Amino acid sequence: MQRRQFIQNASLTALGIATFGGIKAVTRSAASGNALRVNGKRIESRIFELAKFGMDANGHGTRVAFTQADIEGRAWFIALMKKAGLNPTIDTAGNIIGKRKGKNNALKPIAFGSHIDMVPDGGNYDGTLGSIGALEVIEILNEQNIMTEHPLELIIFSNEEGGTIGSKAMVGDITKEGLQQRSQSGLTMGEGIRAIGGNPDDIQSCIRKKGDIHAWLELHIEQGGILEKENIQIGVVEGIVGIVHWEIIVEGFSNHAGATQMNMRQDALLAASKLVIAVNEVINSVKGTQVGTVGKISVLPGAYNVIPGKVQMGLEIRDLSADKIDMLFKEIERRAALIAKASKTNIRFERQANESKPALTDKKLQQTINATAKSLGFSTKFMQSGAGHDTQHMSSIAPAAMIFIPSVGGISHSPKEFSKAIDMENGANVLMQTILFIDKSN
Ligand code: GLV
Ligand code: MN
Ligand code: MN
């Protein structure tokens, strides 16, 4: 037996598919499923096509959720879904949902997809790969006239980058307060959902309960540099970090920058700067993979000759333990009180409504993805996700898992984000074969 054939058979055996001495002995449908491959060229050309929506004059992407570019990108995607026979609809949270019938429509659907919105000045692969890869799976099944047992659902979640809003809503975790939070587009979450065809007044209608979905899968770029550095083709995600945001408001006193002596000032920006450093020190003060960032700041009134009277900043902390996030924040608060006292300013923290809890993916699905990837001849690694994903919410209502592929240079949320066509193709093949295996196995 050739080595490649041996590896393939060994992996299929690990998957619970009897090989009976050779691949030909595998049941007909499983064998034909395994021979199926996605069209890598089509995936890459669609990545470039979608990138045009919201691209500015410098070639940078601005397809922020709820903006005109997002609306146009979604329309492009919806048209492709229609062409693929998915009859897409928009749920009340603005999620795009396409359905493909199975042989047994009494079974719960296997759902998969991702998001197509991006951060300001973002990259062309984050979310879009999982969305385009999911559509590719549907199209291959269509082209090969393959009917799965389970119905399939392709889901494109709304405003992933602004707090995984669509998936939070789908699992019933969005609050009134969350809908009133202002999004990056300038609209509130509720207004934005309405702008893309949802209905925030009836947000409950989009909720899926535990047991409504057979399994959820998301293909995604890693967004870090581990897979590339270790020369691994496929990442199997074990857990996704929790994410909490706070607005920090520092109030000092605006005064004349020339006539106010240095010891008479209540400089809000000076206090804020010390706090930024304190955040970094606190996050680094304990062992672990926790991260903390002050990623935005505005200074008022903002003039050369005026001492800053007010500063507003955004703080984010991420970790796999919610308790650790709370512990780190308490220490940041303690340091802030000391800074406020010394600088005669007032520092206030406002915890934002749309936070994400840490989540683990489904162990059985992890094993299936790993064995499927190996059966296709790919190297794999079990790993954590430092980025947030819709999958972390879906894991509360369904067995959920993620497939990662390498990000060149470990760069993401940047116009320099890039993944190779071959890696995207590999990831989409793992997604497709995993879906087919789940479909047959239970
Ligand atoms: C989403 O990409 C996030 O991790 O913020
Ligand atoms: Mn993403
Ligand atoms: Mn992202």
Side-chain angles (χ1 to χ4, degrees):
M1 198 186 297
Q2 298 272 310
R3 184 180 142 73
R4 190 182 165 83
Q5 182 71 73
F6 171 77
I7 293 169
Q8 195 166 35
N9 286 355
S11 303
L12 287 170
T13 308
L15 279 169
I17 299 170
T19 53
F20 302 114
I23 190 90
K24 285 196 184 91
V26 178
T27 61
R28 197 190 166 90
S29 49
S32 65
N34 201 273
L36 218 57
R37 294 294 180 269
V38 300
N39 179 341
K41 280 206 166 64
R42 182 162 57 190
I43 293 174
E44 195 186 37
S45 70
R46 283 183 174 162
I47 292 274
F48 296 148
E49 269 184 72
L50 182 52
K52 289 184 199 145
F53 295 96
M55 191 181 274
D56 69 13
N58 300 318
H60 289 205
T62 64
R63 202 173 53 253
V64 168
F66 309 147
T67 61
Q68 189 56 27
D70 184 37
I71 291 168
E72 287 168 13
R74 285 164 57 92
W76 174 85
F77 204 91
I78 287 169
L80 286 178
M81 285 170 83
K82 278 189 184 148
K83 240 168 120 182
L86 288 171
N87 296 321
T89 54
I90 314 278
D91 72 8
T92 54
N95 300 313
I96 307 168
I97 300 177
K99 296 189 179 179
R100 186 176 193 268
K101 284 200 169 66
K103 283 185 206 157
N104 181 355
N105 292 297
L107 293 174
K108 300 297 180 197
I110 299 172
F112 46 99
S114 193
H115 64 97
I116 61 168
D117 63 302
M118 59 165 65
V119 292
D121 208 13
N124 294 328
Y125 300 80
D126 175 359
T128 55
L129 169 63
S131 305
I132 287 168
L135 179 63
E136 178 65 24
V137 170
I138 298 283
E139 290 191 302
I140 295 292
L141 298 182
N142 287 350
E143 285 162 14
Q144 300 299 320
N145 287 317
I146 293 174
M147 190 87 170
T148 50
E149 295 293 327
H150 295 73
L152 302 180
E153 269 192 39
L154 195 169
I155 306 179
I156 305 299
F157 286 112
S158 64
N159 196 6
E160 191 271 353
E161 296 291 4
T164 46
I165 300 303
S167 51
K168 241 174 225 154
M170 188 174 276
V171 303
D173 269 355
I174 210 103
T175 57
K176 267 207 176 113
E177 205 189 347
L179 286 171
Q180 280 156 10
Q181 190 182 323
R182 204 149 289 284
S183 75
Q184 187 81 37
S185 67
L187 302 175
T188 65
M189 299 298 174
E191 290 163 348
I193 285 171
R194 208 183 292 288
I196 57 170
N199 180 4
D201 301 331
D202 185 25
I203 201 84
Q204 308 293 328
S205 295
C206 76
I207 293 178
R208 306 285 184 96
K209 297 186 300 299
K210 234 184 184 140
D212 283 353
I213 292 176
H214 184 66
W216 162 261
L217 294 168
E218 183 173 7
L219 167 65
H220 207 281
I221 57 167
E222 179 199 339
Q223 305 183 268
I226 296 171
L227 293 176
E228 187 192 42
K229 200 161 135 227
E230 298 185 16
N231 202 17
I232 304 269
Q233 287 158 305
I234 296 292
V236 183
V237 177
E238 295 175 296
I240 306 169
V241 292
I243 306 174
V244 186
H245 291 162
W246 289 264
E247 282 291 311
I248 308 175
I249 298 105
V250 184
E251 279 165 324
F253 191 82
S254 288
N255 208 341
H256 198 292
T260 313
Q261 306 242 298
M262 293 309 280
N263 63 354
M264 298 293 287
R265 297 174 179 223
Q266 291 169 265
D267 185 332
L269 183 56
L270 189 62
S273 307
K274 289 181 178 169
L275 183 54
V276 172
I277 291 167
V279 165
N280 191 263
E281 286 172 354
V282 170
I283 300 295
N284 280 317
S285 66
V286 288
K287 278 208 176 101
T289 52
Q290 68 280 352
V291 288
T293 309
V294 176
K296 59 172 193 161
I297 186 165
S298 70
V299 182
L300 287 173
Y304 285 114
N305 53 359
V306 186
I307 296 162
K310 184 173 175 183
V311 169
Q312 191 150 342
M313 304 195 287
L315 165 67
E316 178 188 88
I317 306 179
R318 299 182 180 214
D319 194 66
L320 277 170
S321 154
D323 287 346
K324 196 174 197 182
I325 292 176
D326 287 342
M327 180 274 283
L328 291 165
F329 175 66
K330 280 207 178 81
E331 180 56 15
I332 289 169
E333 242 185 347
R334 193 188 69 79
R335 295 277 302 264
L338 297 177
I339 293 165
K341 191 161 178 222
S343 58
K344 298 190 207 74
T345 59
N346 183 283
I347 303 180
R348 206 166 78 237
F349 293 85
E350 289 176 1
R351 190 166 177 146
Q352 300 298 289
N354 290 308
E355 55 191 66
S356 295
K357 295 185 190 72
L360 299 176
T361 57
D362 183 75
K363 282 247 180 319
K364 247 171 88 183
L365 283 180
Q366 286 174 25
Q367 293 303 332
T368 303
I369 291 169
N370 187 49
T372 302
K374 287 206 179 308
S375 79
L376 292 167
F378 302 139
S379 50
T380 62
K381 183 183 176 79
F382 287 84
M383 61 195 302
Q384 306 293 347
S385 172
H389 298 287
D390 295 307
T391 297
Q392 69 199 103
H393 306 297
M394 295 305 278
S395 71
S396 70
I397 58 156
M402 291 191 80
I403 301 158
F404 272 0
I405 62 144
S407 291
V408 172
I411 301 170
S412 184
H413 283 187
S414 154
K416 292 201 164 64
E417 181 178 276
F418 177 68
S419 285
K420 293 180 189 151
I422 185 64
D423 288 325
M424 294 195 283
E425 182 178 334
N426 293 348
N429 275 321
V430 174
L431 174 67
M432 182 168 68
Q433 292 298 335
T434 302
I435 291 165
L436 291 173
F437 179 77
I438 297 169
D439 182 50
K440 288 277 177 263
S441 60
N442 49 20

